[in-house]
Amino acid sequence: MKLKDNIQFGLIIFIVVGIITSCKVRQTIEHYPDFTGYTSEDFKPEIQKVHDSLFTYHSNYLLKNRFQQWELYLEGDAMERGIIGGALMDSLMRYQEDAFVEKIDDLVPNKKKQMRLLKFLGWYNRKIYKYFPNEYQVELYGLAKYMTSEYNYIGPAYLRNLYYHGAHDIGHALVDFSMVQCTSAGLWGSRSADGELILGRNLDFYLSDRFAENKVVLFVNPKEGIPFVSVTWPGMMGVVSGMNYEGLTITMNAGKSKIPWTAKEPISILARNILEHASTTEEAIAIAQKSEVFVSEALMVSSAKDNKVVIIEVSPKNFGVYEVSGEEIICSNHFQSDSYRKDKRNKKRIETYHSMYRYERMQELLDENSPITPTKMAAILRDKDGLGGKKIGYGNEKAINQLICHHGVVFKPEKKQIWISTSPYNLGAFTAYDLNEIFGNKNTDYKSHHIDSLTIPTDSFLYSSEYANYEKYRTLDKEISRWLKDKEAVINTDMLEEYRQLNPDFWYVHYNAGVLYYRMEKYEKARDAFKIASDLEITTTQDKEEVMKMLKKATKKVK
């Protein structure tokens, strides 16, 4: 996410907070889940620590595999799953919440403004519990028993847990948050190497390096419902990428939203509900139609039973389903169904954003690599170039792989197989799992169930000088961002030029350099930097307009 997005986020929140806090809204809980029929909330499992990378309780376990992924297996009713999951992950959940709050401190360092933000969130989330199925409220309640009390100033643990599960939607709704931009595709028939369904997706969600450190491959065997696997992070029980034991898969892609007045059902909770209770696309559509959401989202759903892929497009006041007559379907961050053809926000997204560019690049890559295998799909998800193979700079949001990816996933629903990327980004090995093995047999051996013979190797880019330069660029980018925020900062021009050389095809580095040179009244250097930026692949129409405006200003100063 770019610096300007952080600034937008803060400004809009503070404007809204200034209005809302005058109402003196109190942050209270007026509702708890209905615990009837569930294991007692006083249940306390005795976790066995086998070693630093393996923790167990009966059939439940948490282990770290040799690829540094955490694998978590949970079974039982909602309260059992919540409490056992919390007991197994307590230190990981603490680390994750620390990372989340650390990001809040980074975005909003002023404590008084933080408290205003928290009051606003309390008001905004005041009815969110009404849109969580009771089963998931119970599970969240169980998890919350193992959350730290250090952040009780944000809210009691259970309330915080509800907030966190709506955090993606809130940020996305308030400023069309561009920290989430994903690309996915599904193929079958002649477009798939074996004729069976194959799907791939990147979750280009980035909060911080620390937040992305502990990835969790979560296997859930519920007392009622369909067993499933979800790719997630500690404490997150909603679903962003997953497949169930019936061969149904689901992934989510953010769409263009307007600002709602209250939080409703988070998209990750809707996705979880579908994954746990649907085996066909028709059942998934029926669940989605009953949901009340507060942001716009596209859910790509495939079903082995149907041999079919659909995109369910949901928003607060509209609903659509997109299907194709061919043998492939692509999803980025705009809607495609008839229900949204006249939608002004969706049209603007297509015209000004980078969603259509990534869509077209995905189409190119699928055509070039057809028929698609899991290994080819992983390579496509790792592609860092622009249309026609053009070099557009590492980290450019027009690329399929923006080098911020929380995870990449490949699905083979009919075989019930899933491949999940390991760090960093989606460049590490893709580990393979077979749900037939995991849920078809009783797990008593407490060992990783990844399948070595199906592992997709690490991307060679990870060992290249280009990658080393990219990581140096990311380090320098933090310093450049500090300079851009602090008008009194002393700017090291040698460092600024190194910053540009480390990622020379990325328009953003030259734009930033131009802004800083302009501030230093080095107008000729500023003009030249803006000119270079203007000739490169700029991310959005708004960014292009900003670059051209600054180029014009700098040129006038030179004359």
Side-chain angles (χ1 to χ4, degrees), residues 20-30 118-126 154 159 163:
I20 298 304
T21 51
S22 63
C23 299
K24 298 182 180 179
V25 178
R26 292 194 308 160
Q27 184 177 308
T28 61
I29 288 185
E30 298 178 355
L118 294 174
K119 286 182 180 180
F120 163 66
L121 290 176
W123 175 86
Y124 193 85
N125 281 292
R126 67 197 183 279
I154 297 176
L159 180 62
Y163 283 8

Side-chain angles (χ1 to χ4, degrees), residues 455-470:
T455 299
I456 297 172
T458 299
D459 190 344
S460 59
F461 174 72
L462 193 59
Y463 309 112
S464 68
S465 59
E466 288 86 354
Y467 175 75
N469 286 342
Y470 174 71

